[in-house]
Structures are given as structure tokens and as C-alpha cells.
Amino acid sequence: MTYSDKLISYYKTIANDCVLGVSLDCVIFGFHDTRLKVLLLRWKGTDEWCLPGGFICKTESVDDAAGRVLHERTGLNELFLQQFHLFGEANRYDREDTWQRQKMPMPFSGSWPDRTISMGYYALVDYTKVTPTADFLSDVCGWFDVGELPSLLYDHCRIIHVALQTLRLQLNWQPIGLNLMPEKFTIPELQRLYEAVLGRPLDSRNFHKKITGLSILTRLDERRTGKAHKSPYLYQFDLPNYQRALVNGNLIFV
């Protein structure tokens, strides 16, 4: 099947099997090398990037559709997934300009909604476990630092901005560290994560005192080797205590 045939098939699926006018966009956050990152797709044959997403089939719930998109792009199941905003402005983007930038044929008459509202989801993933996978509309799926994003199609720059603001607001009552950190980590590495999310530095001694005082970490009999001066102890989350802290609202440390 040629690329054009796939496009026509995709448009027909949208017209026949999906809820017209309702889509979703997923902001997939990962953390690597002290930087908060987001997963993006590059459209075939262009330099244009966008968020993973798509339309919602009639047989799917919105959450199931988001889970499907995330699995297809990351290879992971059972991710932490949070719906955070409905993007429903009357004019979210210039349709004609967008199609020209994508260098793609305009869909046939009646196959594309005149207006689309989008459910915004953010996902938190362990960067090391993700296998970035493009779809047939794109040729690259890759990570970008949230502070160094390329030019994005549609209103996806705003979607990422709102997702990041939501993440910051929910820092003390969502399992952000649990989902973005690897299984074992040091206290300085955990601090770098929260600094990356907040976009500002934190006092090391104060952070160490507060985070260890929450009783949500277990120190292991292992150290991070290969450091120039010190070999700090490794930690992992105490899951029962972590969950209790989330439920009781006792996770305030920044």
C-alpha cells in the first residue's frame, strides 16, 4: 500500500469509525541526564514536529484511546496517565497553513472536521524503558528538552506549556517522582528531577531534610559508583508509605 493509499484509508477511518471533532494530544514526560523531556513526532518529509495523539474511535473511551496512543508511541503499558485540560478554542490553528506546512494532501470533502476539540493528557514514564516509535504519518519519534522545543504544529506549544504548569501544581499530590525516576536513585538525582520540573534550583540540605523526613524513601546498602569525589547511597521509594502520603496529602516538600 502506497503512502497516499494509507492517507486515504486514515481519512476514511476518521470519517467512519471515529468521533468527528474530538481528538486527544498526549504530553509524554521523561527525565534523563538532569533534564525534563517530552516525546515528539516529526511528520514525514518535513521539519515539522507535533505531539503524539489522534482521534477517538467510537468503540473507545477517551482514556482507552490515550492508553492506545501511548502504547503505540512508547511500547509501554499501564503508564501514569492524567487528563489535564480540554483545548476547545474556536480557532486553534490555521487549517490551510497547517496542511501546507505538513506538505500533505488536503483530505477529501467531508472527511475532516471543520473544528476539533482536543483532550489533553500528560503521561509520566521511565525514560530508560521507552522505545520511541513513529507512526505511518511520521518518520521520527524522539525526545526534546522542554526548554528547547522545535517549531511545533497546531497549538501544541501551548498544550505542552499547560501540561508543565499542571505538573508543577500537582507536584505534591501526584506520584511524579515515582513514575519519572528509575527504580534506584540518589537524593541528588531526585533533587535534579524536581528542579527540572519547577525550573528553578532547590537548596540541597533543605531538600534532603524534607524528603527523608517524609518516610517515603528506603536507603539501600548500595552506592552510586563512578563519581569524582563521593559515592552517595542509592534509594528507592517505599511504595506503601508513598501511597499513604499521596492519599493523606503529606507529600509537601518543596
Side-chain angles (χ1 to χ4, degrees), residues 27-133:
V27 184
I28 305 173
F29 288 115
F31 180 68
H32 179 66
D33 195 24
T34 75
R35 310 296 287 272
L36 186 66
K37 298 179 178 290
V38 63
L39 199 64
L40 299 176
L41 295 168
R42 188 180 71 192
W43 283 81
K44 280 184 180 295
T46 77
D47 294 324
E48 304 294 345
W49 295 82
C50 67
L51 290 167
F55 286 88
I56 303 159
C57 294
K58 292 179 180 178
T59 58
E60 292 180 307
S61 71
V62 180
D63 288 347
D64 287 343
R68 168 178 55 79
V69 169
L70 289 170
H71 173 70
E72 291 170 351
R73 301 288 73 79
T74 67
L76 302 178
N77 291 305
E78 298 182 5
L79 302 176
F80 178 83
L81 186 63
Q82 180 76 21
Q83 187 180 128
F84 68 93
H85 193 75
L86 177 65
F87 296 89
E89 288 80 359
N91 296 300
R92 293 178 55 213
Y93 54 88
D94 184 320
R95 296 173 73 243
E96 183 175 352
D97 175 66
T98 296
W99 286 103
Q100 291 175 352
R101 288 172 62 191
Q102 290 170 309
K103 299 179 182 178
M104 295 176 56
M106 287 290 289
F108 58 80
S109 178
S111 68
W112 203 270
D114 291 330
R115 178 184 175 188
T116 302
I117 61 174
S118 183
M119 295 283 193
Y121 281 82
Y122 75 78
L124 307 176
V125 302
D126 183 342
Y127 177 95
T128 63
K129 296 180 179 178
V130 171
T131 303
T133 305

Side-chain angles (χ1 to χ4, degrees), residues 3-37:
Y3 180 58
S4 295
D5 290 335
K6 288 182 178 180
L7 279 178
I8 296 300
S9 176
Y10 181 63
Y11 297 149
K12 288 181 177 179
T13 298
I14 293 169
N16 297 323
D17 298 331
C18 298
V19 179
L20 292 181
V22 181
S23 65
L24 58 88
D25 290 297
C26 299
V27 184
I28 305 173
F29 288 115
F31 180 68
H32 179 66
D33 195 24
T34 75
R35 310 296 287 272
L36 186 66
K37 298 179 178 290

Side-chain angles (χ1 to χ4, degrees), residues 149-160:
L149 298 175
S151 174
L152 296 174
L153 290 165
Y154 313 114
D155 54 352
H156 288 187
C157 187
R158 177 173 180 263
I159 292 175
I160 294 173

Side-chain angles (χ1 to χ4, degrees), residues 135-169:
D135 58 21
F136 78 89
L137 291 170
S138 57
D139 52 20
V140 177
C141 182
W143 293 101
F144 284 83
D145 293 348
V146 293
E148 300 176 0
L149 298 175
S151 174
L152 296 174
L153 290 165
Y154 313 114
D155 54 352
H156 288 187
C157 187
R158 177 173 180 263
I159 292 175
I160 294 173
H161 174 75
V162 175
L164 182 56
Q165 292 301 313
T166 303
L167 197 64
R168 289 169 176 168
L169 290 172

